[in-house]
Amino acid sequence: MLAEIFAPQSVAVVGASPDPSRLGHAVLRNLIEHGYAGPIFPIHPKAREVLGRRAYGSVLAVPDAVELAVVAVPARQVLHVVDECGQKGVKGLVVISAGFKEVGGEGREVERQLLAKVRAYGMRMLGPNSLGVIDTHSRLNASFAAIMPDAGNIALMSQSGAICTAILDWSKSRGVGFSHFVSLGNKTDIDEVVLLRAWGNNPRSKVVLAYLEDINDGPAFIAAAREVTRTTPVVAIKSGTTAAGSLAASHHTGSLAGSEQAYEAAFAQSGIIRAHTVSELFDLAMLFAYQPLIKGNRVAILTNSGGMGIIAADAVERSGLAMASLSQATIERLQRALPPSGSAYNPIDLLGDARHDLYGLGVEAALADPNVDGLIVVLTPQAQTELVETAEIIATLAARSDKPVVASFMGGYSIGPALAALNRNAIPSYTFPERAVQSLASMYDYVERSRRPPPNYRHVPVNLKEVRHVLTQVRASGRVELSEGEVRLVLAAYGLRIPESRLARSPDEAAHLGMQLGFPIVMKIASHDILLKSAIGAVRVGVADDEAARDSFELIDYRARKYWPGARINGVYVQEMVRPGRDLQISMSRDPQFGPLIATALCGIYVEVLKDITFGLAPLSEQDVYDQIRALRAFPLLRGADGGPFADVAAIEDVILRVSQLASELPEIVELEINPLVVHRQGEGAVVLDARIILQ
Amino acid sequence: MLAEIFAPQSVAVVGASPDPSRLGHAVLRNLIEHGYAGPIFPIHPKAREVLGRRAYGSVLAVPDAVELAVVAVPARQVLHVVDECGQKGVKGLVVISAGFKEVGGEGREVERQLLAKVRAYGMRMLGPNSLGVIDTHSRLNASFAAIMPDAGNIALMSQSGAICTAILDWSKSRGVGFSHFVSLGNKTDIDEVVLLRAWGNNPRSKVVLAYLEDINDGPAFIAAAREVTRTTPVVAIKSGTTAAGSLAASHHTGSLAGSEQAYEAAFAQSGIIRAHTVSELFDLAMLFAYQPLIKGNRVAILTNSGGMGIIAADAVERSGLAMASLSQATIERLQRALPPSGSAYNPIDLLGDARHDLYGLGVEAALADPNVDGLIVVLTPQAQTELVETAEIIATLAARSDKPVVASFMGGYSIGPALAALNRNAIPSYTFPERAVQSLASMYDYVERSRRPPPNYRHVPVNLKEVRHVLTQVRASGRVELSEGEVRLVLAAYGLRIPESRLARSPDEAAHLGMQLGFPIVMKIASHDILLKSAIGAVRVGVADDEAARDSFELIDYRARKYWPGARINGVYVQEMVRPGRDLQISMSRDPQFGPLIATALCGIYVEVLKDITFGLAPLSEQDVYDQIRALRAFPLLRGADGGPFADVAAIEDVILRVSQLASELPEIVELEINPLVVHRQGEGAVVLDARIILQ
């Protein structure tokens, strides 16, 4: 996929200057030096030859077909160049030139025109403002990066050219190889979604890395990522998450950063592994690229230092992985080989004088143990340590196993050659055992998640026409907030339980309806015009009998007319009184990048003081909702942890799924808040006691 | 201090074999090779000369004085050697030999004898089972480590020899220097407390690092650390904190790890900076050793990569530091120098083509800004980047400033010489900006803490004789749990408010006492023998008037006699009924390493479901208690966050301080639980409604 960018038959470099300080020159040199095999055409207005290649005045002057054009001319000339490329039949563009959206003002407008042209000619474009693209398989280095990465199975996209550079520099020092390397630039056409789909389930890329400052289309991103992550791990850094970071991000690229909660939810729901630091990104890249997936959570630690064994075991416990219980056979095998003060139990302590053959025996024994899913080899350089030999025997044995093996050789002065041997042999190595553990834990999370069945979305039949009619009427009357009656109609259409409510037009009718519903009842003025019903005493709770119902009708009617003169009054609602239960709050707002963000919390101090709120992005799958409720710190309360009854959690899940459907189907609703949702005992359902709906 | 260990006038190496594979030989070689200037005496039963030095059959045969003896003979010979050293007048011992406590059984007993001898001769001893000691000032390398660290201002103690080795290896590669380097071994005599006191407020050590698996004497450790950390930062790793880690720790050294909560409290109260990973330990070591202390929390970031600027700004916000708002003068100065698409706002973006002079201008401007307390310089290697020159200009300008400057040069392939220049010039450098930020944040925490006034301990006068009399009586009666009356006596002696309570011996007296206290009242059987008073209906709450008091007396008396036949009954307590308030739980248990651990929580779901509990170790200072209460997640509730009244927080603090005093003065009490402490409105105090006290 995207062969016109990653594996073109021929490449033109527009702006391929003979001046070595120009970017176009650097791109041409990279193409030639790193062995791109197809025809390369320098395009320059004056030069006859650049770097030994015949140059042309424009792409139109090239006698052969041009599949990819790399554009490195001043911004004001780009539109013209793109026209020529379109006429020439060029299929792919990599626009290095800067001076578009990122400079604001006119640049933004020119970028719009650029995209329109690209679309009109049916081309695909990377950039503008991109460092370029590298594909190690087609040996294409169409970038001005100073370093060519080794071939490998990591695909990387980055919204920051500088981060591309730093990653290249790091990877070269560790011998880490890439399949694709893309600087996204302003991602005007080709963006994170296009690349995710191109790289997912692609045998050349075992792992996809992404550095993102914003996301073009939140819902499309989630949909693509959900699919891709089922077969290919995706590790992403989203920067600009805190207030200060967002401010910096907007200085940097003029992008509007989405809310942190929405990003967290998007990554979690789509199965993307979120790295919070570049160092985490590297850690995971090595692990996924080099080693097989871990099949369970049981880890063995092998070390020549009891102290480091303790540190590593601590980290394992904290990470959510488990220390493997070695089988009796393994323990006996180790005991036969170890000196008496070594430890054949996990962490396996080979003692400070362990040589490479003892390490080899330990690695072999641990990997052969059916109770072990992954192995961490920790080494501190001591007098008798055989550094390189140990690295090599680990690599040899790891290559024969389908379990992941990672290493932490500690130090710096004497371990260089051993680290090089580990890198050469695809054993991820970490300066400290904690990072090895954390990386394995993230891998295990990924594996766990990819084993889940595909997401299941419930859909309830809804009379959308009727609902839209209500919303149209609200708009027609010039309001943005729905009245209580309108809210009831919308929620009822989505099958949410609301208290039974009938309209009484006289005191006697109120008494009669009260008897039908069963006392005690709630009575409330019925008027679109009166909003603060409780404040003026136009709501009465716990009306006990028919006489009280008659009295309440007249009192409510009197107060409404007195405090809201001129209000149109339809009568008084007589409503079922809801038994007390556990109060929850379910609300929906719209995130500018990701759309409907649904928040769940227990009412009262849980939401207000403890800020115990969980978030999800609609459309939510059943599994998403299951996770979202259980992520509440206060979840145990719904299971009777404070001595109360078990709450009907299934009913809460059902309400959230219906709200998710509503949010997806009715984009004109910008805000919805159910507060409280009264949740009864298990099997007894949940009732919406009050709710607000706001339109755009 | 400890000159007999760190700066002896002469050294004997007992077990200095001519065989180079022996540890004693390695120690002798290190002493000679690394330039120890005093006389060195090899001791060996047969050799006449080792490594060119005249050898002696025993220390007693040495003609001159011996101040320090390094002992590297088999364990079974150590006691004899120590006797000879004692007779010779040796003052310091470094025992390399292993085979003591760490092997269990007899080894433990031999170690006890060893300590007894050391004490009897008035010597100080490091080890046994130690890698040795290095002092770069006296050029003493009395260890078998393969590497001699450079001279510097970091003092390090480690309970793991392997970690010593790893740290040496790392430090050598970064050119990081040490003042003292100590492998604690079994720390039979010289332990963490002795070293803390020796290294605190010592101009040679700007920072103390410690790797600890356990702590010999918790209270002494806290006392020493509290003092030392006021002038010298102490960074410590305590390993073996989780269940798996503790298990490994006990395999490793046979030590009983203290509870994690106690360690957290001990480190927090004593001002020790806790590192959770070896990598954090290194990060902080470099920062404290190389740079001045940060005076405020406002950080500037200078970068040639907008993307990395965002990542760093995010990290600053998350860390609790603040992004400095640059002054107008600084912004204008930067704007004059920067290209238009650079950013003169913090993070300062010099753009990808920034050369060393632009970096220099940025560093100078940022450090001159009065709104900046510290600076992080981030660099990604790009085509025009002048790596080494940039490192050097940063170092030159940083050396003129009293603000800390740290660097994060990213990459690996091309930055080696630049990193070396940073190290050489005492600029801490971090692979990733997040780690630079985290280190500065820890430094700021340290500074904040060291500015606090010295801890203030309240002490209330207590009639200890009376309290001890009560406890003696409980023991005499063969019980471990105090009766309600006894608990009341103890708590009252410590000035805790308990409900007023009088003993009634007849129905009429109950009615009379009730009138005196004011109805409603609580009535309760008075008997040491009856424990489950509520269960048998021998407690009545809300007794409303004199008639009810008479009835209740007879009913309680009847039930007590019926359900606990033979119980000695003293009458019925008539008690003040406490108004409802906020219920807290204050409890004390004894940690095996640190002693009295005091836990505070709000009752109900806060403690049971949300596990919102904070801990402190007695004796608690006023500041400790202040922190402990405010660390509760539910603390805002005590400030009316749920609409309730402000609670009397000062009264809670007072209760905790009194419990702390009680725990310190009465070691025979192993457990105390006040549950609930009913806390009234601000200014209205707190009352102990129920409490238990358990003796050893």
Side-chain angles (χ1 to χ4, degrees), chain A residues 162-163 165 169 211 240-242 244-245 277 279 305-308 310 314 317 381-382 412-414 432 434 605-606 637 642, chain B residues 162-163 165 169 211 240-242 244-245 252 277 279 305 307-308 310 314 317 381-382 412-414 432 434 605-606 637 642:
Chain A
I163 297 219
T165 319
D169 206 280
Y211 169 83
T241 53
T242 57
T277 65
S279 124
S305 151
M308 285 318 308
I310 295 172
D314 274 348
E317 290 286 309
Q382 305 195 31
Y413 181 67
S414 57
F432 301 104
E434 301 91 344
I605 58 149
Y606 305 101
L637 295 181
D642 59 349
Chain B
I163 296 223
T165 318
D169 205 281
Y211 168 84
T241 52
T242 57
H252 188 48
T277 64
S279 125
S305 152
M308 286 318 309
I310 295 173
D314 274 348
E317 289 285 309
Q382 305 193 31
Y413 180 67
S414 57
F432 300 103
E434 299 92 342
I605 58 147
Y606 305 100
L637 295 180
D642 59 350

Side-chain angles (χ1 to χ4, degrees), chain A residues 42-246:
Chain A
I43 311 293
H44 192 266
K46 295 182 205 124
R48 307 295 297 269
E49 198 186 281
V50 187
L51 288 169
R53 304 276 168 144
R54 160 87 202 268
Y56 300 89
S58 92
V59 281
L60 291 172
V62 175
D64 302 307
V66 173
E67 187 170 4
L68 172 69
V70 185
V71 182
V73 298
R76 62 183 182 285
Q77 298 169 21
V78 168
L79 291 181
H80 176 67
V81 166
V82 168
D83 273 331
E84 292 184 336
C85 289
Q87 287 155 33
K88 175 70 183 170
V90 166
K91 293 183 188 145
L93 292 174
V94 172
V95 182
I96 306 281
S97 318
F100 296 87
K101 187 178 73 182
E102 79 280 8
V103 297
E106 205 185 337
R108 199 175 283 277
E109 174 52 28
V110 179
E111 188 166 317
R112 251 193 298 272
Q113 293 172 26
L114 173 61
L115 179 62
K117 281 191 194 294
V118 166
R119 292 270 152 87
Y121 290 115
M123 300 190 282
R124 300 291 340 222
M125 174 180 70
L126 183 65
N129 194 20
S130 163
L131 194 90
V133 57
I134 300 174
D135 183 305
T136 55
H137 189 69
S138 60
R139 304 185 66 79
L140 176 88
N141 184 337
S143 81
F144 61 91
I147 291 173
M148 175 75 179
D150 297 333
N153 49 19
I154 300 173
L156 175 128
M157 61 177 108
S158 166
Q159 208 169 335
S160 154
I163 297 219
C164 284
T165 319
I167 291 178
L168 273 179
D169 206 280
W170 166 81
S171 67
K172 200 72 184 174
S173 73
R174 303 295 292 262
V176 170
F178 289 86
S179 54
H180 307 84
F181 202 97
V182 171
S183 161
L184 283 164
N186 292 2
K187 51 184 192 178
T188 312
D189 174 36
I190 293 177
D191 64 6
E192 53 279 357
V193 173
V194 176
L195 289 179
L196 269 184
R197 294 212 180 269
W199 290 343
N201 211 0
N202 175 336
R204 286 186 49 217
S205 304
K206 269 184 80 177
V207 56
V208 171
L209 308 184
Y211 169 83
L212 299 171
E213 290 172 359
D214 60 7
I215 280 171
N216 276 358
D217 178 344
F221 177 77
I222 294 177
R226 274 210 207 248
E227 233 168 82
V228 169
T229 57
R230 297 194 67 78
T231 55
T232 309
V234 177
V235 187
I237 293 191
K238 160 65 181 76
S239 76
T241 53
T242 57
S246 294

